[in-house]
Structure formats: structure tokens, C-alpha cells
Amino acid sequence: MNILVIGSGGREHALAWKISQSPLTARLFCAPGNPGIATVAGCVPINASDLDQLLGFAQREKIDLTVVGPEQPLAEGIVDLFVREGLTVFGPTRAAAELEWSKVYAKNFMARYGIPTAGCRIFDGTQLDAARAYLESSPVPVVLKADGLAAGKGVSVCSTREDALSALRQMTVEKAFGSAGARVVIEECMSGEEASVFAISDGQHYIVLAPAQDHKRVFDDDRGKNTGGMGAYAPAPCVTPEILQDVEARIIIPTLAGMIAEARPYKGCLYVGLMFTDTGPKVVEYNCRFGDPETQAVLPLFNGDIVATLYAAATSGLSGRSGVSAVPGASAVCVVLASGGYPDKYETGKEIRGLQELETLPDVLAFHAGTRREGDKIVTSGGRVLGITAICMSGGLRSTIATAYKAVDKVSFEGVHFRHDIGRKGLR
Ligand code: AMP
Ligand code: GLY
């Protein structure tokens, strides 16, 4: 098959790397890709949001399967467009992707189908006084969420009423997230361990990948600001086989059935962000795509042919399988190397050293996220720069973590920072 991956981050590098290993893959392209992806795929300079150009490319190059990485083109309807033109594409339609692009839709959906999640109230721009009054009387901490896509920044966990009122003002009056803040979800604050579970679905059947844990805060021990994710590991031992079965029964199966009932069957990767509370697993959020950086730890463990699986999901051909599709006993740890200052302001263009030395290490991959080629150098071009990933088929999580950090020590660029505790949660 000729395959096109859309996107340019670490998630897309992991997807392209895994796809490149399948015997089903003939030619592999990525739009727009990055210098790391260029080692496994032909990179095409078309932006992930340029749907018409992407369609033209897929038609010209006789692409048999397109795999969409980021949420934006999914929310803009890339799958609807490609399907209309008779192309095969892995990802949900715009209507099915609403589980991610509208938190109001997702909360109402979960309420309709009895899917466990935090209690909430929803307010629109005409109900600001009511929203303020509600915050005055609700317990803290409390969580505010902008309805729409906000590049991962639309969630505020507020520990005081003042913070909550100020977050409400930022979202609604100051319009910090533009139209994404036109409606606001005010949510009960849950506590418990978090994990991400990915289900690949053809609308009806699904398979589950190794459960992972992301590390969203910028500093060790979950301190500091939220980021896009500073690292991930899989499998997460807090998601035992029994707990996973419970998650499937109470969340994944009713979600897929609910989407069928709403006439928007969910094809693609359903990302379920979970919190394990005292009263059982609850949904923190749905995403309509693979997670980043979880994918860098989850996909290397996938036990099967990823191309056959993605194609089957895109063409309603998945047959149900129980249990996790991951190599037993294997683990993977991805440590994100970030630019100095990230998640706030940072500089780019810093030369990255040590990448060649990494290539000689067994069990280690450097997934590129924010990198760019400048002559014969690779330089930084984003906040999250590299995902240094150790993949060990045996030996346990502790030794996988050690392998990952030994590799991290080989790479450097000016200002680099990273967390030192990726995966440590899994050792408790
Ligand atoms: P999200 O962008 O929706 O993944 O939210 C970012 C982070 O905010 C999550 O990973 C959680 O740690 C936290 N969060 C979101 N909703 C809640 C909630 N209702 N209770 C507690 N923490 C939450
Ligand atoms: N790692 C969080 C996300 O992909 O949304």
C-alpha cells in the first residue's frame, strides 16, 4: 500500500516508524513531516491543515491509506472530504471528532449514555452572571474548560474561588481562547491516578493498545505548569487487566455504541483520558486521535501489523479481539527534551548534538517533534524537540527507564530541559 501520514510531531514520527516496518507498506509519505520522519518516509511540504492540497497529493500519488495525526484536520472534516472522494482514511469524521472539539458535546454525550465522568454545569456567553453565581457557591478546587479546541491550554484546575472567577473572565470576557471559549464547562474536580487508553475502532469493533501514563506538568513530581506532555511510558501498571475490563465495559463499549446511536459511528483512534477515583474510573477527556507523547511509548509495543489494523479500522474490517494488543513483558519509556522556557516563551534554532551517537544504542529511538534541518545540522524548531524513547522487550520498567535516561545524557542543545522522573509512577 501507498501510505500518507499527516502531521509533523513526535506522534507522527512514531506512526511513520511503525508503519515503515510493515511488509504491507510500499511507498510511505508524510505531510509535512520533520527531519526524523524523513529517515523513514518521503516528506511532502504540505501543511496538515491544507486539506485541498492533501487531497490532491493523495489522488496523484495513488495513496491507499491516509493516517491523520493531529486533531485540527479531523475537526475540519478531512475524513469526510477524503471519503467523499473515494479514498481510504484512518480517523473519525468531523461529526465523530466532536467528542474532542466540543467538550460540551462530550459532557452531554456522556450524560446521555451514563458514561462515568465528573459532574458539571455548562454556561454560554449570555449566562455569565449565572456562571459567576454558580462558582461562588461551588466547592474548590473546581475545573473550568473552554468548550472548543485550545491547543491543550483550555483547562484550568482552580484551587481558589478567585482563580476560578479569573479563569472564567479570561475565557469569556477576555476571550483568551477565541471562539473556543464561547461556552464554558464548570466541572467537579476529581482526584486519583490518571492514565490514557487508546482504542482503535472501525465504528463497531475495537482493539485496545497498551495503557499509558502521560506526564503533563513541566517539572518533576507533577509540579509547575501544564504542557503538551513531558514524557510517557507504557504499559501503566495501575491499569490492571481487571481495571481495563471495567474501563471497556463502562466506558469504551458504551462510547462506541452511543456514537452508533447518534448516527456518527466512531472510526479511528479513540483516546480516553481517565482518572481512577475512589468511585471507579471516570473520563477526564476524549481525544479523537492518538496521544502525544503516549503514542511514542505505546506503538512500539503494539503486537501485530499496524498497517493491517489501521486499514481494517478505516474499512469496517476489524474483528473484535479481547485483551491488550501489546507484546507481553515489554515496556517503553519516552522522555521529552524541551526547549529552555517551554511551555512559556522559548528560542529555536539551537543545534542538537549527539543524535548520531544515539543511533548506535540498542533499544533506543529518538522521535523528532520540533526539529528542522539547517544544512547538515539538525536544530530545534519547537517547544517539545525530541522524544528519546527506550523500548525493551523484557527486563522490566526500571531498566527501561535507566536505558532511556542513559540515552538522554548523550543528546544536548542549549537550554534543554526535561523531567527526571518519567515512568517512576509505574514503579510504586
Ligand atoms: P485536559 O486538557 O482535558 O487533558 O486536562 C488537562 C489536565 O487537567 C488533565 O490531565 C487533568 O490532570 C486535569 N483535569 C481535567 N479535568 C479535571 C477534573 N475534572 N478533575 C481534576 N483534574 C482535571
Ligand atoms: N498527551 C495528551 C494529548 O495527546 O492530548
Side-chain angles (χ1 to χ4, degrees), residues 103 143 145 155 187-190 194 216 275 284-285:
K103 293 195 190 292
V143 181
K145 298 184 173 181
V155 174
E187 206 173 80
E188 164 206 357
C189 189
M190 306 183 283
E194 286 187 65
K216 286 211 168 86
M275 197 173 283
V284 178
E285 60 163 346

Side-chain angles (χ1 to χ4, degrees), residues 307-381:
V307 172
T309 302
L310 299 177
Y311 190 80
T315 55
S316 309
L318 217 55
S319 48
R321 229 200 289 169
S322 58
V324 170
S325 304
V327 179
S331 56
V333 174
C334 169
V335 181
V336 170
L337 305 193
S339 292
Y342 175 81
D344 294 322
K345 247 179 66 171
Y346 54 84
E347 293 176 3
T348 60
K350 312 292 181 194
E351 181 178 357
I352 303 171
R353 295 201 171 82
L355 284 172
Q356 264 169 351
E357 202 181 330
L358 269 196
E359 285 172 19
T360 64
L361 296 182
D363 302 335
V364 171
L365 289 169
F367 290 123
H368 289 224
T371 70
R372 159 164 66 81
R373 182 170 282 285
E374 226 169 57
D376 53 5
K377 292 180 189 156
I378 306 283
V379 302
T380 64
S381 72

Side-chain angles (χ1 to χ4, degrees), residues 95-113 115 117-125 127 143-149 154-155 171-172 179-187 259 262 264 283-286:
E98 192 166 5
L99 280 181
E100 174 167 359
W101 60 258
S102 170
K103 293 195 190 292
V104 169
Y105 175 77
K107 294 303 283 190
N108 287 331
F109 172 87
M110 287 186 272
R112 282 196 289 280
Y113 298 97
I115 295 165
T117 185
C120 79
R121 289 272 305 269
I122 294 161
F123 298 92
D124 68 25
Q127 299 167 310
V143 181
L144 272 79
K145 298 184 173 181
D147 175 41
L149 294 181
V155 174
M171 281 180 199
T172 55
S179 60
R183 290 186 291 178
V184 176
V185 177
I186 301 181
E187 206 173 80
M259 293 303 274
E262 310 232 328
R264 28 179 121 186
V283 176
V284 178
E285 60 163 346
Y286 289 117

Side-chain angles (χ1 to χ4, degrees), residues 39 45 47 50 133 139 146 159 183 188 224 231 236 270 272 281 315 328 330-331 339 365 383 386 397 407 410:
T39 63
N47 200 287
D50 198 339
S159 47
R183 290 186 291 178
E188 164 206 357
L270 178 69
V272 187
T315 55
S331 56
S339 292
L365 289 169
L386 292 164
L397 179 61
K410 308 262 187 242

Side-chain angles (χ1 to χ4, degrees), residues 11 100 196 198 214 216 228-229 271 285 287 289-294 384:
R11 164 184 52 209
E100 174 167 359
S196 314
F198 302 162
D214 189 5
K216 286 211 168 86
Y271 170 130
E285 60 163 346
N287 290 319
R289 46 164 177 84
F290 288 101
D292 190 340
E294 292 98 320
R384 293 190 292 172

